[in-house]
């Protein structure tokens, strides 16, 4: 869907996923975890036992793109763009190019989610490498299709999609490195930042359909082109600030939660073997006073 709704859905999906991943990364760094653990769904959901142990991440990867695919072909309701070839035309031309490109992008993210589900439940040893490979493939597909997606577009649309390809390529590169260098905290942070840049820039594309100034972006204006690049740089700084904020909030929660878990009790104190009875009684009285016992 080359429209506001068509860019808003993946933008929201990527943004929520980036926030979720940023929280996981922040907590993992605070807890000094060596492995980034993803929360799993409960074994029983709505009273039914799940056949597979599924993570929230994998579920989102499958459900959100499926909604996107449905929207590409059947939104607004009543339309049907599922046709790929116009059989009524003797030349048999391909039709609905943009929709099929978007659906293909969504489809590879669905594939990534399915791979996550299978690997998390069946392939304990090779699971992580397989998950990262499928995720990297999805972003490489985005880049490949985006290269042809911008054909026959206005110069402004070409510019905004080229800028979107920058975080896409870097994300694909980082995830590819994770295949061979897993569980590396700097890569976790870089992935969070790039994900926030990618999702925030999707919102900027949405803004171009409904300009905040009330005036449309002009493809024939060098100034508009220049400011578009300026805004992209600002979005990179905004993404970094967002991750720092998330880390700070998680830090406050982590230390506050850790303090709640501490239970009061008698402190260990060394007692010399040659201590007299009076010294032992004095030490016992001090210990009771520390515990708040009168």
């Amino acid at each position: 869907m080359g429209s506001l709704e068509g860019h808003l859905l993946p933008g929201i999906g990527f943004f929520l996923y980036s926030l979720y991943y940023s929280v996981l990364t922040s907590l993992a760094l605070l807890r000094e975890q060596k492995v980034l653990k993803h929360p799993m769904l409960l074994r029983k959901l709505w009273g039914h036992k799940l056949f597979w142990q599924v993570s929230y991440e994998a579920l989102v990867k499958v459900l959100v793109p499926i909604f996107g695919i449905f929207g590409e072909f059947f939104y607004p309701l009543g339309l049907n763009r599922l046709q790929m070839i116009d059989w009524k035309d003797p030349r048999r031309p391909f039709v609905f190019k943009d929709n099929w490109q978007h659906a293909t992008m969504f489809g590879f993210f669905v594939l990534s989610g399915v791979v996550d589900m299978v690997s998390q439940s069946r392939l304990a040893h090779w699971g992580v490498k397989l998950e990262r490979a499928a995720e990297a493939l999805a972003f490489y597909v985005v880049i490949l299709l985006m290269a042809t997606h911008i054909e026959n577009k206005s110069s402004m649309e070409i510019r905004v999609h080229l800028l979107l390809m920058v975080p896409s390529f870097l994300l694909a590169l980082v995830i590819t490195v994770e295949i061979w260098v897993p569980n590396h905290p700097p890569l976790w942070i870089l992935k969070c930042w790039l994900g926030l840049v990618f999702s925030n820039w999707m919102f900027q594309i949405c803004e171009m359909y409904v300009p905040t100034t009330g005036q449309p972006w002009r493809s024939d204006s060098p100034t508009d082109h220049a400011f578009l690049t300026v805004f992209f740089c600002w979005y990179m700084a905004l993404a970094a600030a967002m991750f720092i904020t998330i880390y700070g909030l998680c830090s406050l929660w982590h230390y506050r939660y850790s303090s709640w878990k501490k239970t009061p009790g008698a402190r260990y104190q060394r007692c010399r073997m040659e201590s007299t009875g009076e010294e032992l009684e004095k030490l016992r009285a001090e210990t009771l006073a520390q515990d708040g016992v009168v």
Side-chain angles (χ1 to χ4, degrees):
M1 292 179 290
S3 61
L4 172 64
E5 297 86 352
H7 292 88
L8 186 60
L9 175 64
I12 293 175
F14 276 111
F15 182 70
L16 293 178
Y17 177 77
S18 300
L19 290 180
Y20 166 79
Y21 196 84
S22 298
V23 171
L24 285 185
T25 299
S26 299
L27 293 177
L29 294 174
L30 291 167
R31 295 167 181 168
E32 298 181 354
Q33 295 176 196
K34 295 183 178 180
V35 178
L36 193 62
K37 298 179 180 179
H38 298 273
M40 310 294 282
L41 283 173
L42 300 176
R43 274 294 187 181
K44 286 188 176 182
L45 189 63
W46 296 312
H48 299 282
K49 187 176 180 180
L50 296 178
F51 180 70
W52 285 351
Q53 187 74 8
V54 180
S55 68
Y56 292 99
E57 175 188 1
L59 193 62
V60 169
K61 280 185 180 180
V62 172
L63 293 181
V64 173
I66 285 178
F67 280 109
I69 293 173
F70 180 84
E72 288 294 333
F73 293 128
F74 305 109
Y75 181 85
L77 295 178
L79 294 181
N80 185 355
R81 305 185 190 90
L82 201 57
Q83 183 180 4
M84 184 181 291
I85 300 175
D86 186 1
W87 296 102
K88 296 180 180 180
D89 191 326
R91 297 173 300 171
R92 303 292 191 268
F94 290 105
V95 292
F96 304 123
K97 171 183 70 73
D98 290 349
N99 302 96
W100 279 101
Q101 286 178 330
H102 292 158
T104 303
M105 296 178 194
F106 287 134
F108 273 86
F109 282 104
V110 173
L111 175 64
S112 176
V114 172
V115 169
D116 287 356
M117 291 181 179
V118 175
S119 66
Q120 289 165 5
S121 58
R122 302 296 179 187
L123 304 173
H125 180 66
W126 290 97
V128 176
K129 293 180 180 293
L130 192 60
E131 291 171 26
R132 298 289 79 80
E135 192 175 18
L137 177 62
F139 280 101
Y140 283 125
V141 168
V142 170
I143 300 166
L144 287 173
L145 293 177
M146 199 69 68
T148 57
H149 185 67
I150 60 179
E151 293 179 354
N152 300 321
K153 304 284 187 182
S154 66
S155 59
M156 185 62 68
E157 288 182 289
I158 293 174
R159 176 68 61 88
V160 74
H161 283 89
L162 284 176
L163 291 172
L164 183 66
M165 292 170 66
V166 173
S168 301
F169 173 74
L170 294 177
L171 268 171
L173 191 61
V174 169
I175 298 170
T176 302
V177 174
E178 278 191 311
I179 299 175
W180 290 278
V181 189
N183 305 321
H184 193 49
L187 293 180
W188 300 347
I189 298 173
L190 190 57
K191 188 176 176 181
C192 293
W193 176 64
L194 290 171
L196 290 170
V197 173
F198 183 90
S199 57
N200 283 324
W201 192 245
M202 290 291 294
F203 292 142
Q204 174 59 39
I205 297 177
C206 294
E207 190 274 340
M208 298 185 73
Y209 288 96
V210 187
T212 54
T213 61
Q215 296 295 325
W217 289 77
R218 294 168 296 176
S219 298
D220 58 347
S221 173
T223 304
D224 284 13
H225 282 271
F227 268 100
L228 191 66
T229 308
V230 169
F231 291 157
F232 181 78
C233 297
W234 289 1
Y235 274 111
M236 290 193 295
L238 175 63
M242 290 178 65
F243 179 77
I244 293 173
T245 302
I246 292 171
Y247 182 84
L249 293 175
C250 289
S251 178
L252 291 175
W253 179 86
H254 174 72
Y255 290 115
R256 186 70 178 271
Y257 180 72
S258 299
S259 64
W260 287 344
K261 292 185 67 176
K262 291 181 180 179
T263 55
R267 298 179 183 176
Y268 172 78
Q269 298 192 26
R270 297 181 62 183
C271 179
R272 294 176 298 177
M273 297 300 296
E274 64 271 19
S275 299
T276 62
E278 294 180 358
E279 291 176 339
L280 291 175
E281 288 296 330
K282 183 179 179 181
L283 183 60
R284 181 173 179 273
E286 291 176 356
T287 303
L288 292 176
Q290 290 176 358
D291 292 341
V293 179
V294 181

